[in-house]
Amino acid sequence: MLFSFALFSNYTKAQDIESMDKKLSEKEKSIITIASLTAKGDLEKLKTELNTGLEAGLTVNEIKEVLVHLYAYCGFPRSIRGLQTFIEVLNERKTKGIIDKQGNEATPIKEAGNKYERGKKVLEQLTKTTQSDTLTGYSAFAPVIDAFLKEHLFADIFERDVLTFVQRELVTISVISAIGDAEPMLKAHLSIALNVGLTSGQLQEFIGIIKPIVGKKKTNAAKQVLNEVLKSK
């Protein structure tokens, strides 16, 4: 029995080490910087990072999807300015003879079944928690926002297959960290990030990437929320 326990203990430690050692890819790092800078509205630095993202292997459609996805968290003005900046970057690269890979278009979503229920199932998949039929909190106070979240955010947006759930969560936590003062939502999405496959080490790395973009105060706030999430797991 002691031998079995030792094997289990060593296996657990090995998993913990692997979790801490796994690094974000260059594409994932670019997704974080592009999303953070767009949410902040720093378009000059965004131009540089859009170029970096393309050089790292992100396709045109993947970057477009990043910029579209983030509108749900920081609004159309930031999203559209990001897209306009991306058009400038692509045009500049074309004049230099650089032809960037377009990538896959989104597969049309099958509009089968009730959209609210589809969004609910996606949310259950992300959170690994059954969604109650009884609304509470802000959803009960304003049921229309619950409908918008389930039907549009989690059905229309998260069901699109250009980006993976991991990539979408990197966009989401980057934007929420950049706008600040949204700790409950950040906590929820950091938990989802772990659920969909990001490791504690990668999320610690994420904190380091956003620091020079969002500043010390917002970075410290995000770090505190992450520590709370990791302690609860």
Side-chain angles (χ1 to χ4, degrees):
M1 188 172 73
L2 288 173
F3 178 70
S4 297
F5 177 77
L7 284 176
F8 176 76
S9 178
N10 289 336
Y11 174 72
T12 303
K13 288 178 181 178
Q15 283 186 313
D16 290 341
I17 292 171
E18 183 180 358
S19 177
M20 291 303 295
D21 286 347
K22 189 176 180 181
K23 302 297 183 182
L24 292 166
S25 68
E26 293 305 311
K27 288 172 64 173
E28 289 169 336
K29 291 176 185 177
S30 288
I31 286 172
I32 292 168
T33 54
I34 289 169
S36 301
L37 287 166
T38 307
K40 188 181 177 183
D42 191 339
L43 302 182
E44 197 58 41
K45 289 183 180 177
L46 176 62
K47 288 184 73 172
T48 300
E49 292 304 324
L50 287 167
N51 277 286
T52 300
L54 289 166
E55 297 299 328
L58 287 171
T59 67
V60 172
N61 283 336
E62 284 173 334
I63 293 178
K64 282 199 292 186
E65 194 73 15
V66 167
L67 298 171
V68 170
H69 177 105
L70 62 80
Y71 102 83
Y73 295 93
C74 65
F76 277 113
R78 292 289 194 227
S79 177
I80 291 172
R81 290 298 287 131
L83 288 166
Q84 290 170 335
T85 303
F86 192 31
I87 291 171
E88 292 176 22
V89 168
L90 292 174
N91 287 337
E92 288 172 4
R93 290 171 68 87
K94 282 180 183 178
T95 62
K96 296 176 182 178
I98 301 172
I99 306 300
D100 293 297
K101 186 177 179 181
Q102 196 68 24
N104 295 329
E105 296 282 350
T107 304
I109 295 173
K110 295 180 181 179
E111 297 288 346
N114 182 282
K115 185 182 284 190
Y116 183 89
E117 292 300 321
R118 286 195 354 247
K120 198 171 167 183
K121 287 180 180 178
V122 171
L123 186 55
E124 288 178 343
Q125 186 178 351
L126 293 169
T127 62
K128 295 186 177 179
T129 304
T130 302
Q131 297 296 305
S132 173
D133 291 327
T134 304
L135 300 182
T136 60
Y138 67 83
S139 293
F141 181 68
V144 67
I145 198 70
D146 180 72
F148 289 161
L149 281 168
K150 300 277 195 333
E151 295 179 4
H152 181 50
L153 178 58
F154 293 109
D156 288 337
I157 298 178
F158 269 84
E159 278 190 324
R160 288 169 61 83
D161 60 3
V162 176
L163 299 178
T164 65
F165 281 166
V166 166
Q167 291 170 324
R168 289 192 183 280
E169 283 307 319
L170 287 175
V171 177
T172 303
I173 60 177
S174 299
V175 174
I176 298 173
S177 298
I179 63 177
D181 297 319
E183 283 76 10
M185 185 173 283
L186 179 59
K187 185 175 183 179
H189 280 281
L190 284 169
S191 293
I192 290 173
L194 290 169
N195 289 342
V196 298
L198 287 162
T199 68
S200 58
Q202 288 174 315
L203 291 179
Q204 296 284 4
E205 193 179 357
F206 156 77
I207 296 294
I209 293 170
I210 65 170
K211 186 176 181 179
I213 299 173
V214 306
K216 185 177 180 180
K217 182 179 178 181
K218 289 178 179 177
T219 300
N220 287 342
K223 186 175 181 179
Q224 183 176 340
V225 175
L226 175 59
N227 288 339
E228 291 173 5
V229 170
L230 294 178
K231 285 180 182 177
S232 67
K233 290 293 183 179

PDB file of all heavy atoms in Angstrom, residues 190-228:
ATOM      1  N   LEU A 190     -11.333  32.756 -15.902  1.00  0.00           N
ATOM      2  CA  LEU A 190     -10.073  32.083 -15.564  1.00  0.00           C
ATOM      3  C   LEU A 190     -10.353  30.625 -15.187  1.00  0.00           C
ATOM      4  O   LEU A 190      -9.575  29.726 -15.526  1.00  0.00           O
ATOM      5  CB  LEU A 190      -9.362  32.809 -14.421  1.00  0.00           C
ATOM      6  CG  LEU A 190      -8.658  34.120 -14.810  1.00  0.00           C
ATOM      7  CD1 LEU A 190      -8.222  34.875 -13.564  1.00  0.00           C
ATOM      8  CD2 LEU A 190      -7.455  33.854 -15.712  1.00  0.00           C
ATOM      9  N   SER A 191     -11.465  30.401 -14.513  1.00  0.00           N
ATOM     10  CA  SER A 191     -11.871  29.028 -14.189  1.00  0.00           C
ATOM     11  C   SER A 191     -12.183  28.247 -15.461  1.00  0.00           C
ATOM     12  O   SER A 191     -11.800  27.078 -15.604  1.00  0.00           O
ATOM     13  CB  SER A 191     -13.097  29.034 -13.266  1.00  0.00           C
ATOM     14  OG  SER A 191     -12.778  29.575 -11.998  1.00  0.00           O
ATOM     15  N   ILE A 192     -12.883  28.903 -16.391  1.00  0.00           N
ATOM     16  CA  ILE A 192     -13.187  28.251 -17.666  1.00  0.00           C
ATOM     17  C   ILE A 192     -11.895  27.952 -18.424  1.00  0.00           C
ATOM     18  O   ILE A 192     -11.759  26.891 -19.042  1.00  0.00           O
ATOM     19  CB  ILE A 192     -14.119  29.137 -18.516  1.00  0.00           C
ATOM     20  CG1 ILE A 192     -15.515  29.192 -17.890  1.00  0.00           C
ATOM     21  CG2 ILE A 192     -14.211  28.612 -19.951  1.00  0.00           C
ATOM     22  CD1 ILE A 192     -16.454  30.181 -18.571  1.00  0.00           C
ATOM     23  N   ALA A 193     -10.942  28.883 -18.368  1.00  0.00           N
ATOM     24  CA  ALA A 193      -9.660  28.670 -19.047  1.00  0.00           C
ATOM     25  C   ALA A 193      -8.990  27.382 -18.578  1.00  0.00           C
ATOM     26  O   ALA A 193      -8.445  26.621 -19.385  1.00  0.00           O
ATOM     27  CB  ALA A 193      -8.738  29.868 -18.811  1.00  0.00           C
ATOM     28  N   LEU A 194      -9.053  27.134 -17.286  1.00  0.00           N
ATOM     29  CA  LEU A 194      -8.510  25.881 -16.750  1.00  0.00           C
ATOM     30  C   LEU A 194      -9.329  24.688 -17.230  1.00  0.00           C
ATOM     31  O   LEU A 194      -8.781  23.638 -17.564  1.00  0.00           O
ATOM     32  CB  LEU A 194      -8.496  25.929 -15.221  1.00  0.00           C
ATOM     33  CG  LEU A 194      -7.484  26.887 -14.578  1.00  0.00           C
ATOM     34  CD1 LEU A 194      -7.767  27.027 -13.089  1.00  0.00           C
ATOM     35  CD2 LEU A 194      -6.048  26.407 -14.796  1.00  0.00           C
ATOM     36  N   ASN A 195     -10.635  24.858 -17.284  1.00  0.00           N
ATOM     37  CA  ASN A 195     -11.521  23.773 -17.719  1.00  0.00           C
ATOM     38  C   ASN A 195     -11.249  23.338 -19.153  1.00  0.00           C
ATOM     39  O   ASN A 195     -11.359  22.150 -19.483  1.00  0.00           O
ATOM     40  CB  ASN A 195     -12.988  24.194 -17.601  1.00  0.00           C
ATOM     41  CG  ASN A 195     -13.470  24.296 -16.167  1.00  0.00           C
ATOM     42  OD1 ASN A 195     -12.846  23.754 -15.259  1.00  0.00           O
ATOM     43  ND2 ASN A 195     -14.570  24.985 -15.962  1.00  0.00           N
ATOM     44  N   VAL A 196     -10.922  24.305 -20.020  1.00  0.00           N
ATOM     45  CA  VAL A 196     -10.761  23.975 -21.441  1.00  0.00           C
ATOM     46  C   VAL A 196      -9.338  23.543 -21.794  1.00  0.00           C
ATOM     47  O   VAL A 196      -9.066  23.211 -22.946  1.00  0.00           O
ATOM     48  CB  VAL A 196     -11.202  25.145 -22.353  1.00  0.00           C
ATOM     49  CG1 VAL A 196     -12.683  25.447 -22.161  1.00  0.00           C
ATOM     50  CG2 VAL A 196     -10.351  26.389 -22.120  1.00  0.00           C
ATOM     51  N   GLY A 197      -8.437  23.544 -20.803  1.00  0.00           N
ATOM     52  CA  GLY A 197      -7.119  22.975 -21.062  1.00  0.00           C
ATOM     53  C   GLY A 197      -5.909  23.827 -20.785  1.00  0.00           C
ATOM     54  O   GLY A 197      -4.777  23.354 -20.875  1.00  0.00           O
ATOM     55  N   LEU A 198      -6.087  25.109 -20.458  1.00  0.00           N
ATOM     56  CA  LEU A 198      -4.938  25.923 -20.092  1.00  0.00           C
ATOM     57  C   LEU A 198      -4.445  25.504 -18.710  1.00  0.00           C
ATOM     58  O   LEU A 198      -5.236  25.115 -17.846  1.00  0.00           O
ATOM     59  CB  LEU A 198      -5.303  27.409 -20.095  1.00  0.00           C
ATOM     60  CG  LEU A 198      -5.477  28.010 -21.500  1.00  0.00           C
ATOM     61  CD1 LEU A 198      -6.254  29.306 -21.445  1.00  0.00           C
ATOM     62  CD2 LEU A 198      -4.117  28.236 -22.159  1.00  0.00           C
ATOM     63  N   THR A 199      -3.153  25.571 -18.484  1.00  0.00           N
ATOM     64  CA  THR A 199      -2.585  25.145 -17.216  1.00  0.00           C
ATOM     65  C   THR A 199      -2.352  26.344 -16.296  1.00  0.00           C
ATOM     66  O   THR A 199      -2.362  27.497 -16.747  1.00  0.00           O
ATOM     67  CB  THR A 199      -1.245  24.431 -17.427  1.00  0.00           C
ATOM     68  OG1 THR A 199      -0.276  25.387 -17.904  1.00  0.00           O
ATOM     69  CG2 THR A 199      -1.381  23.300 -18.435  1.00  0.00           C
ATOM     70  N   SER A 200      -2.106  26.041 -15.030  1.00  0.00           N
ATOM     71  CA  SER A 200      -1.812  27.110 -14.070  1.00  0.00           C
ATOM     72  C   SER A 200      -0.552  27.859 -14.492  1.00  0.00           C
ATOM     73  O   SER A 200      -0.481  29.090 -14.383  1.00  0.00           O
ATOM     74  CB  SER A 200      -1.639  26.529 -12.663  1.00  0.00           C
ATOM     75  OG  SER A 200      -0.604  25.559 -12.633  1.00  0.00           O
ATOM     76  N   GLY A 201       0.445  27.131 -14.998  1.00  0.00           N
ATOM     77  CA  GLY A 201       1.670  27.767 -15.459  1.00  0.00           C
ATOM     78  C   GLY A 201       1.431  28.706 -16.625  1.00  0.00           C
ATOM     79  O   GLY A 201       2.000  29.807 -16.684  1.00  0.00           O
ATOM     80  N   GLN A 202       0.587  28.304 -17.558  1.00  0.00           N
ATOM     81  CA  GLN A 202       0.272  29.157 -18.708  1.00  0.00           C
ATOM     82  C   GLN A 202      -0.480  30.414 -18.280  1.00  0.00           C
ATOM     83  O   GLN A 202      -0.269  31.500 -18.837  1.00  0.00           O
ATOM     84  CB  GLN A 202      -0.548  28.372 -19.731  1.00  0.00           C
ATOM     85  CG  GLN A 202       0.264  27.328 -20.487  1.00  0.00           C
ATOM     86  CD  GLN A 202      -0.605  26.469 -21.378  1.00  0.00           C
ATOM     87  OE1 GLN A 202      -1.672  26.004 -20.981  1.00  0.00           O
ATOM     88  NE2 GLN A 202      -0.153  26.241 -22.606  1.00  0.00           N
ATOM     89  N   LEU A 203      -1.351  30.281 -17.286  1.00  0.00           N
ATOM     90  CA  LEU A 203      -2.085  31.456 -16.813  1.00  0.00           C
ATOM     91  C   LEU A 203      -1.175  32.406 -16.030  1.00  0.00           C
ATOM     92  O   LEU A 203      -1.361  33.626 -16.078  1.00  0.00           O
ATOM     93  CB  LEU A 203      -3.284  31.020 -15.958  1.00  0.00           C
ATOM     94  CG  LEU A 203      -4.396  30.313 -16.749  1.00  0.00           C
ATOM     95  CD1 LEU A 203      -5.528  29.889 -15.821  1.00  0.00           C
ATOM     96  CD2 LEU A 203      -4.948  31.218 -17.851  1.00  0.00           C
ATOM     97  N   GLN A 204      -0.186  31.857 -15.343  1.00  0.00           N
ATOM     98  CA  GLN A 204       0.813  32.708 -14.687  1.00  0.00           C
ATOM     99  C   GLN A 204       1.620  33.446 -15.762  1.00  0.00           C
ATOM    100  O   GLN A 204       1.953  34.630 -15.615  1.00  0.00           O
ATOM    101  CB  GLN A 204       1.753  31.870 -13.815  1.00  0.00           C
ATOM    102  CG  GLN A 204       1.089  31.171 -12.639  1.00  0.00           C
ATOM    103  CD  GLN A 204       0.775  32.100 -11.474  1.00  0.00           C
ATOM    104  OE1 GLN A 204       0.980  33.312 -11.556  1.00  0.00           O
ATOM    105  NE2 GLN A 204       0.262  31.536 -10.397  1.00  0.00           N
ATOM    106  N   GLU A 205       1.919  32.745 -16.843  1.00  0.00           N
ATOM    107  CA  GLU A 205       2.632  33.355 -17.974  1.00  0.00           C
ATOM    108  C   GLU A 205       1.785  34.465 -18.595  1.00  0.00           C
ATOM    109  O   GLU A 205       2.309  35.520 -18.974  1.00  0.00           O
ATOM    110  CB  GLU A 205       2.943  32.278 -19.006  1.00  0.00           C
ATOM    111  CG  GLU A 205       3.926  32.694 -20.067  1.00  0.00           C
ATOM    112  CD  GLU A 205       4.233  31.581 -21.060  1.00  0.00           C
ATOM    113  OE1 GLU A 205       3.719  30.446 -20.879  1.00  0.00           O
ATOM    114  OE2 GLU A 205       4.979  31.852 -22.020  1.00  0.00           O
ATOM    115  N   PHE A 206       0.489  34.216 -18.698  1.00  0.00           N
ATOM    116  CA  PHE A 206      -0.458  35.217 -19.211  1.00  0.00           C
ATOM    117  C   PHE A 206      -0.365  36.525 -18.425  1.00  0.00           C
ATOM    118  O   PHE A 206      -0.340  37.622 -19.000  1.00  0.00           O
ATOM    119  CB  PHE A 206      -1.885  34.650 -19.143  1.00  0.00           C
ATOM    120  CG  PHE A 206      -2.966  35.672 -19.092  1.00  0.00           C
ATOM    121  CD1 PHE A 206      -3.355  36.356 -20.237  1.00  0.00           C
ATOM    122  CD2 PHE A 206      -3.611  35.970 -17.893  1.00  0.00           C
ATOM    123  CE1 PHE A 206      -4.360  37.317 -20.185  1.00  0.00           C
ATOM    124  CE2 PHE A 206      -4.609  36.916 -17.836  1.00  0.00           C
ATOM    125  CZ  PHE A 206      -4.991  37.601 -18.991  1.00  0.00           C
ATOM    126  N   ILE A 207      -0.289  36.413 -17.102  1.00  0.00           N
ATOM    127  CA  ILE A 207      -0.183  37.598 -16.251  1.00  0.00           C
ATOM    128  C   ILE A 207       1.055  38.415 -16.612  1.00  0.00           C
ATOM    129  O   ILE A 207       1.011  39.647 -16.688  1.00  0.00           O
ATOM    130  CB  ILE A 207      -0.135  37.197 -14.756  1.00  0.00           C
ATOM    131  CG1 ILE A 207      -1.445  36.529 -14.320  1.00  0.00           C
ATOM    132  CG2 ILE A 207       0.156  38.417 -13.879  1.00  0.00           C
ATOM    133  CD1 ILE A 207      -2.659  37.420 -14.347  1.00  0.00           C
ATOM    134  N   GLY A 208       2.164  37.720 -16.857  1.00  0.00           N
ATOM    135  CA  GLY A 208       3.387  38.418 -17.231  1.00  0.00           C
ATOM    136  C   GLY A 208       3.294  39.105 -18.579  1.00  0.00           C
ATOM    137  O   GLY A 208       3.883  40.177 -18.782  1.00  0.00           O
ATOM    138  N   ILE A 209       2.550  38.522 -19.509  1.00  0.00           N
ATOM    139  CA  ILE A 209       2.418  39.096 -20.852  1.00  0.00           C
ATOM    140  C   ILE A 209       1.586  40.380 -20.833  1.00  0.00           C
ATOM    141  O   ILE A 209       1.908  41.343 -21.536  1.00  0.00           O
ATOM    142  CB  ILE A 209       1.790  38.065 -21.815  1.00  0.00           C
ATOM    143  CG1 ILE A 209       2.759  36.893 -22.022  1.00  0.00           C
ATOM    144  CG2 ILE A 209       1.442  38.701 -23.164  1.00  0.00           C
ATOM    145  CD1 ILE A 209       2.156  35.718 -22.766  1.00  0.00           C
ATOM    146  N   ILE A 210       0.526  40.410 -20.033  1.00  0.00           N
ATOM    147  CA  ILE A 210      -0.346  41.596 -20.037  1.00  0.00           C
ATOM    148  C   ILE A 210       0.234  42.759 -19.226  1.00  0.00           C
ATOM    149  O   ILE A 210      -0.188  43.904 -19.404  1.00  0.00           O
ATOM    150  CB  ILE A 210      -1.764  41.268 -19.516  1.00  0.00           C
ATOM    151  CG1 ILE A 210      -1.740  40.845 -18.035  1.00  0.00           C
ATOM    152  CG2 ILE A 210      -2.442  40.227 -20.399  1.00  0.00           C
ATOM    153  CD1 ILE A 210      -3.114  40.748 -17.397  1.00  0.00           C
ATOM    154  N   LYS A 211       1.189  42.488 -18.342  1.00  0.00           N
ATOM    155  CA  LYS A 211       1.694  43.530 -17.431  1.00  0.00           C
ATOM    156  C   LYS A 211       2.156  44.804 -18.133  1.00  0.00           C
ATOM    157  O   LYS A 211       1.730  45.909 -17.764  1.00  0.00           O
ATOM    158  CB  LYS A 211       2.806  42.959 -16.553  1.00  0.00           C
ATOM    159  CG  LYS A 211       3.285  43.953 -15.481  1.00  0.00           C
ATOM    160  CD  LYS A 211       4.314  43.306 -14.567  1.00  0.00           C
ATOM    161  CE  LYS A 211       4.760  44.294 -13.492  1.00  0.00           C
ATOM    162  NZ  LYS A 211       5.747  43.683 -12.567  1.00  0.00           N
ATOM    163  N   PRO A 212       3.031  44.711 -19.157  1.00  0.00           N
ATOM    164  CA  PRO A 212       3.464  45.956 -19.810  1.00  0.00           C
ATOM    165  C   PRO A 212       2.369  46.634 -20.634  1.00  0.00           C
ATOM    166  O   PRO A 212       2.519  47.792 -21.016  1.00  0.00           O
ATOM    167  CB  PRO A 212       4.614  45.481 -20.712  1.00  0.00           C
ATOM    168  CG  PRO A 212       4.346  44.036 -20.954  1.00  0.00           C
ATOM    169  CD  PRO A 212       3.702  43.530 -19.701  1.00  0.00           C
ATOM    170  N   ILE A 213       1.276  45.923 -20.882  1.00  0.00           N
ATOM    171  CA  ILE A 213       0.189  46.483 -21.692  1.00  0.00           C
ATOM    172  C   ILE A 213      -0.854  47.172 -20.832  1.00  0.00           C
ATOM    173  O   ILE A 213      -1.252  48.314 -21.087  1.00  0.00           O
ATOM    174  CB  ILE A 213      -0.481  45.374 -22.541  1.00  0.00           C
ATOM    175  CG1 ILE A 213       0.535  44.740 -23.491  1.00  0.00           C
ATOM    176  CG2 ILE A 213      -1.677  45.945 -23.330  1.00  0.00           C
ATOM    177  CD1 ILE A 213       0.011  43.530 -24.239  1.00  0.00           C
ATOM    178  N   VAL A 214      -1.309  46.502 -19.775  1.00  0.00           N
ATOM    179  CA  VAL A 214      -2.434  47.038 -18.983  1.00  0.00           C
ATOM    180  C   VAL A 214      -1.978  47.806 -17.745  1.00  0.00           C
ATOM    181  O   VAL A 214      -2.774  48.486 -17.115  1.00  0.00           O
ATOM    182  CB  VAL A 214      -3.403  45.908 -18.568  1.00  0.00           C
ATOM    183  CG1 VAL A 214      -3.858  45.125 -19.781  1.00  0.00           C
ATOM    184  CG2 VAL A 214      -2.769  44.964 -17.545  1.00  0.00           C
ATOM    185  N   GLY A 215      -0.714  47.700 -17.389  1.00  0.00           N
ATOM    186  CA  GLY A 215      -0.211  48.443 -16.238  1.00  0.00           C
ATOM    187  C   GLY A 215      -0.215  47.631 -14.947  1.00  0.00           C
ATOM    188  O   GLY A 215      -0.837  46.576 -14.846  1.00  0.00           O
ATOM    189  N   LYS A 216       0.499  48.162 -13.961  1.00  0.00           N
ATOM    190  CA  LYS A 216       0.706  47.451 -12.697  1.00  0.00           C
ATOM    191  C   LYS A 216      -0.586  47.212 -11.934  1.00  0.00           C
ATOM    192  O   LYS A 216      -0.824  46.116 -11.412  1.00  0.00           O
ATOM    193  CB  LYS A 216       1.682  48.246 -11.827  1.00  0.00           C
ATOM    194  CG  LYS A 216       2.067  47.556 -10.533  1.00  0.00           C
ATOM    195  CD  LYS A 216       3.095  48.371  -9.758  1.00  0.00           C
ATOM    196  CE  LYS A 216       3.468  47.674  -8.450  1.00  0.00           C
ATOM    197  NZ  LYS A 216       4.474  48.475  -7.690  1.00  0.00           N
ATOM    198  N   LYS A 217      -1.446  48.226 -11.838  1.00  0.00           N
ATOM    199  CA  LYS A 217      -2.663  48.113 -11.037  1.00  0.00           C
ATOM    200  C   LYS A 217      -3.583  47.008 -11.561  1.00  0.00           C
ATOM    201  O   LYS A 217      -4.045  46.156 -10.794  1.00  0.00           O
ATOM    202  CB  LYS A 217      -3.410  49.440 -11.022  1.00  0.00           C
ATOM    203  CG  LYS A 217      -4.666  49.435 -10.160  1.00  0.00           C
ATOM    204  CD  LYS A 217      -5.355  50.788 -10.171  1.00  0.00           C
ATOM    205  CE  LYS A 217      -6.633  50.744  -9.342  1.00  0.00           C
ATOM    206  NZ  LYS A 217      -7.343  52.062  -9.364  1.00  0.00           N
ATOM    207  N   LYS A 218      -3.848  47.019 -12.851  1.00  0.00           N
ATOM    208  CA  LYS A 218      -4.749  46.020 -13.431  1.00  0.00           C
ATOM    209  C   LYS A 218      -4.106  44.638 -13.431  1.00  0.00           C
ATOM    210  O   LYS A 218      -4.789  43.630 -13.261  1.00  0.00           O
ATOM    211  CB  LYS A 218      -5.166  46.437 -14.841  1.00  0.00           C
ATOM    212  CG  LYS A 218      -6.123  47.629 -14.858  1.00  0.00           C
ATOM    213  CD  LYS A 218      -6.472  48.044 -16.267  1.00  0.00           C
ATOM    214  CE  LYS A 218      -7.444  49.225 -16.254  1.00  0.00           C
ATOM    215  NZ  LYS A 218      -7.760  49.704 -17.625  1.00  0.00           N
ATOM    216  N   THR A 219      -2.792  44.595 -13.620  1.00  0.00           N
ATOM    217  CA  THR A 219      -2.093  43.305 -13.580  1.00  0.00           C
ATOM    218  C   THR A 219      -2.177  42.694 -12.190  1.00  0.00           C
ATOM    219  O   THR A 219      -2.441  41.493 -12.040  1.00  0.00           O
ATOM    220  CB  THR A 219      -0.615  43.477 -13.977  1.00  0.00           C
ATOM    221  OG1 THR A 219      -0.543  44.006 -15.305  1.00  0.00           O
ATOM    222  CG2 THR A 219       0.114  42.143 -13.929  1.00  0.00           C
ATOM    223  N   ASN A 220      -1.957  43.515 -11.166  1.00  0.00           N
ATOM    224  CA  ASN A 220      -2.041  43.015  -9.786  1.00  0.00           C
ATOM    225  C   ASN A 220      -3.446  42.523  -9.463  1.00  0.00           C
ATOM    226  O   ASN A 220      -3.615  41.517  -8.765  1.00  0.00           O
ATOM    227  CB  ASN A 220      -1.627  44.106  -8.801  1.00  0.00           C
ATOM    228  CG  ASN A 220      -0.128  44.353  -8.809  1.00  0.00           C
ATOM    229  OD1 ASN A 220       0.640  43.517  -9.274  1.00  0.00           O
ATOM    230  ND2 ASN A 220       0.288  45.498  -8.299  1.00  0.00           N
ATOM    231  N   ALA A 221      -4.444  43.233  -9.976  1.00  0.00           N
ATOM    232  CA  ALA A 221      -5.833  42.816  -9.747  1.00  0.00           C
ATOM    233  C   ALA A 221      -6.097  41.472 -10.410  1.00  0.00           C
ATOM    234  O   ALA A 221      -6.722  40.580  -9.819  1.00  0.00           O
ATOM    235  CB  ALA A 221      -6.792  43.874 -10.294  1.00  0.00           C
ATOM    236  N   ALA A 222      -5.604  41.299 -11.643  1.00  0.00           N
ATOM    237  CA  ALA A 222      -5.782  40.030 -12.360  1.00  0.00           C
ATOM    238  C   ALA A 222      -5.023  38.906 -11.659  1.00  0.00           C
ATOM    239  O   ALA A 222      -5.528  37.779 -11.553  1.00  0.00           O
ATOM    240  CB  ALA A 222      -5.300  40.182 -13.801  1.00  0.00           C
ATOM    241  N   LYS A 223      -3.840  39.204 -11.167  1.00  0.00           N
ATOM    242  CA  LYS A 223      -3.032  38.199 -10.471  1.00  0.00           C
ATOM    243  C   LYS A 223      -3.718  37.731  -9.197  1.00  0.00           C
ATOM    244  O   LYS A 223      -3.713  36.543  -8.867  1.00  0.00           O
ATOM    245  CB  LYS A 223      -1.657  38.776 -10.139  1.00  0.00           C
ATOM    246  CG  LYS A 223      -0.693  37.768  -9.550  1.00  0.00           C
ATOM    247  CD  LYS A 223       0.687  38.382  -9.350  1.00  0.00           C
ATOM    248  CE  LYS A 223       1.668  37.360  -8.787  1.00  0.00           C
ATOM    249  NZ  LYS A 223       3.021  37.962  -8.608  1.00  0.00           N
ATOM    250  N   GLN A 224      -4.323  38.680  -8.485  1.00  0.00           N
ATOM    251  CA  GLN A 224      -5.033  38.331  -7.250  1.00  0.00           C
ATOM    252  C   GLN A 224      -6.211  37.404  -7.547  1.00  0.00           C
ATOM    253  O   GLN A 224      -6.442  36.422  -6.834  1.00  0.00           O
ATOM    254  CB  GLN A 224      -5.529  39.593  -6.554  1.00  0.00           C
ATOM    255  CG  GLN A 224      -6.221  39.321  -5.221  1.00  0.00           C
ATOM    256  CD  GLN A 224      -6.632  40.602  -4.502  1.00  0.00           C
ATOM    257  OE1 GLN A 224      -6.114  41.676  -4.782  1.00  0.00           O
ATOM    258  NE2 GLN A 224      -7.571  40.488  -3.575  1.00  0.00           N
ATOM    259  N   VAL A 225      -6.949  37.711  -8.603  1.00  0.00           N
ATOM    260  CA  VAL A 225      -8.090  36.863  -8.991  1.00  0.00           C
ATOM    261  C   VAL A 225      -7.598  35.481  -9.396  1.00  0.00           C
ATOM    262  O   VAL A 225      -8.189  34.460  -9.017  1.00  0.00           O
ATOM    263  CB  VAL A 225      -8.890  37.506 -10.143  1.00  0.00           C
ATOM    264  CG1 VAL A 225      -9.989  36.558 -10.618  1.00  0.00           C
ATOM    265  CG2 VAL A 225      -9.497  38.835  -9.698  1.00  0.00           C
ATOM    266  N   LEU A 226      -6.509  35.420 -10.154  1.00  0.00           N
ATOM    267  CA  LEU A 226      -5.961  34.127 -10.579  1.00  0.00           C
ATOM    268  C   LEU A 226      -5.545  33.293  -9.367  1.00  0.00           C
ATOM    269  O   LEU A 226      -5.816  32.088  -9.318  1.00  0.00           O
ATOM    270  CB  LEU A 226      -4.766  34.327 -11.510  1.00  0.00           C
ATOM    271  CG  LEU A 226      -4.030  33.045 -11.934  1.00  0.00           C
ATOM    272  CD1 LEU A 226      -4.975  32.084 -12.652  1.00  0.00           C
ATOM    273  CD2 LEU A 226      -2.833  33.379 -12.821  1.00  0.00           C
ATOM    274  N   ASN A 227      -4.897  33.926  -8.402  1.00  0.00           N
ATOM    275  CA  ASN A 227      -4.484  33.199  -7.193  1.00  0.00           C
ATOM    276  C   ASN A 227      -5.688  32.606  -6.468  1.00  0.00           C
ATOM    277  O   ASN A 227      -5.646  31.482  -5.967  1.00  0.00           O
ATOM    278  CB  ASN A 227      -3.700  34.124  -6.268  1.00  0.00           C
ATOM    279  CG  ASN A 227      -2.324  34.448  -6.797  1.00  0.00           C
ATOM    280  OD1 ASN A 227      -1.774  33.725  -7.624  1.00  0.00           O
ATOM    281  ND2 ASN A 227      -1.735  35.549  -6.325  1.00  0.00           N
ATOM    282  N   GLU A 228      -6.791  33.366  -6.429  1.00  0.00           N
ATOM    283  CA  GLU A 228      -8.014  32.871  -5.789  1.00  0.00           C
ATOM    284  C   GLU A 228      -8.567  31.659  -6.527  1.00  0.00           C
ATOM    285  O   GLU A 228      -9.007  30.690  -5.911  1.00  0.00           O
ATOM    286  CB  GLU A 228      -9.063  33.988  -5.742  1.00  0.00           C
ATOM    287  CG  GLU A 228      -8.728  35.134  -4.801  1.00  0.00           C
ATOM    288  CD  GLU A 228      -9.713  36.288  -4.913  1.00  0.00           C
ATOM    289  OE1 GLU A 228     -10.694  36.137  -5.662  1.00  0.00           O
ATOM    290  OE2 GLU A 228      -9.486  37.329  -4.274  1.00  0.00           O
TER     291      GLU A 228
END
